[in-house]
Amino acid sequence: MAKRVYQVWKGRNIFIFKGRLIFGPDAKSLLITILLIVVPIVVFCTNVASNLVHRFPLHNEGYAIFAAAILFTIYVLVLLFLTSARDPGIVPRNSHPPDEEICYDSSASVEVSGAVRQTPTPRLPRTKEVFVNGFTVKVKYCETCMLYRPPRCSHCSVCDNCVERFDHHCPWVGQCIGLRNYRYFFLFVSSSALLCIFIFAMSALNIKFLMEDFGTLWKAIKESPASLILIIYCFIFLWFVGGLTCFHLYLISRNQTTYENFRYGAVNRHNVYNQGWIKNFLEVFCSKTPPSRNNFRAYVQEEAPMRLPREVKINDSEGDRRTKIQDNLEIDNDLMKISERRNEAEGGGN
């Protein structure tokens, strides 16, 4: 019976609904993230918002606060889902090294039947150069995926996939952040910061109303300890999501990823992707999300065997050689036959 792509996927991803949704291997952390969002909102609605409803009996401000908290929370959860449950920009793996990039080294030797013979050996360059915006950029060969990574692509050690425009792997959403979900990730983080500000402000407003009723701050806190807890909780988390929002605003303005920032430093004079902050923001928020390169529900097609499976040597920039050996029964048999015929000819000559 033919299998689907998600059933034979070599990465560490988790698929549900028969390949319709894809998560990272640490998708269980999503439950913690959801609880960190939902539990405070439940406390807010049952303790703070319900009290604010009675503070505006003649108008609908109290009900608007209640509805805004619920709708805003749903919006944040939808953004979380769009970030974590979709393909972040995974580059499909190759089943064999790219033939068009292989060059041959005639100085290499191979041992056959105890005899060392000179034979051309295929070698794969460790890097190659491509042009981006008129500049030359080096891209590396990924030994796991057996392909030359596209520009700004990196291999995630957590998911074991090459991801386009790799930003980072976020354990809070249980997914890589890349080309296809970075926009939703930023909106999720920034919206979470706004939600913290909203809950903080409404809880402080509730404390203010209670102080007017009971006279002192201590009595107001005793009347509604949930308000104080929410104020402290939102203040702490606002430093995290607010700081993350500011950091990514800075990255977007420079058209730089988190991975590039930590690897090359904040000041990168050779950032060939920077088009000016206006175009950089338009690229992130107004460009069309590219379609996925993978059809996880497609049936796996059996590939024809390679004609020349071979030994492939990879040269890196330091001159070190890494060898990937693939069996080549046909070539070995041919070389053994040639060796046997030569031995017979030499024996007959003697």
Side-chain angles (χ1 to χ4, degrees), residues 31-46:
L31 298 177
I32 299 176
T33 304
I34 292 174
L35 288 176
L36 290 174
I37 297 172
V38 173
V39 170
I41 296 302
V42 172
V43 174
F44 174 80
C45 292
T46 55

Side-chain angles (χ1 to χ4, degrees), residues 257-277:
T257 65
T258 302
Y259 176 80
E260 293 168 347
N261 182 270
F262 280 92
R263 182 172 182 179
Y264 303 114
V267 180
N268 184 6
R269 298 179 181 178
H270 303 287
N271 185 1
V272 301
Y273 308 101
N274 191 352
Q275 308 173 65
W277 69 272

Side-chain angles (χ1 to χ4, degrees), residues 123-128 138 140-141 143 148 313-323:
R123 298 166 60 184
L124 198 60
R126 183 63 177 164
T127 62
K128 73 174 184 178
K138 286 186 177 182
K140 292 184 178 181
Y141 178 79
E143 299 180 33
Y148 283 97
K313 293 183 178 179
I314 302 174
N315 286 352
D316 58 17
S317 57
E318 299 177 355
D320 295 333
R321 294 183 178 180
R322 299 183 182 179
T323 303

Side-chain angles (χ1 to χ4, degrees), residues 223-260:
E223 183 66 21
S224 180
S227 297
L228 178 62
I229 294 173
L230 288 174
I231 289 174
I232 298 174
Y233 180 89
C234 291
F235 178 79
I236 294 174
F237 273 87
L238 185 59
W239 279 101
F240 174 69
V241 292
L244 200 58
T245 300
C246 294
F247 176 65
H248 279 278
L249 283 173
Y250 166 75
L251 292 179
I252 293 173
S253 67
R254 302 187 71 249
N255 204 336
Q256 192 178 44
T257 65
T258 302
Y259 176 80
E260 293 168 347

Side-chain angles (χ1 to χ4, degrees), residues 130-137 151-152 255 270-276 279-280 283:
V130 297
F131 288 96
V132 177
N133 297 330
F135 294 90
T136 301
V137 176
R152 313 191 84 178
N255 204 336
H270 303 287
N271 185 1
V272 301
Y273 308 101
N274 191 352
Q275 308 173 65
K279 289 185 178 180
N280 293 339
E283 179 181 329

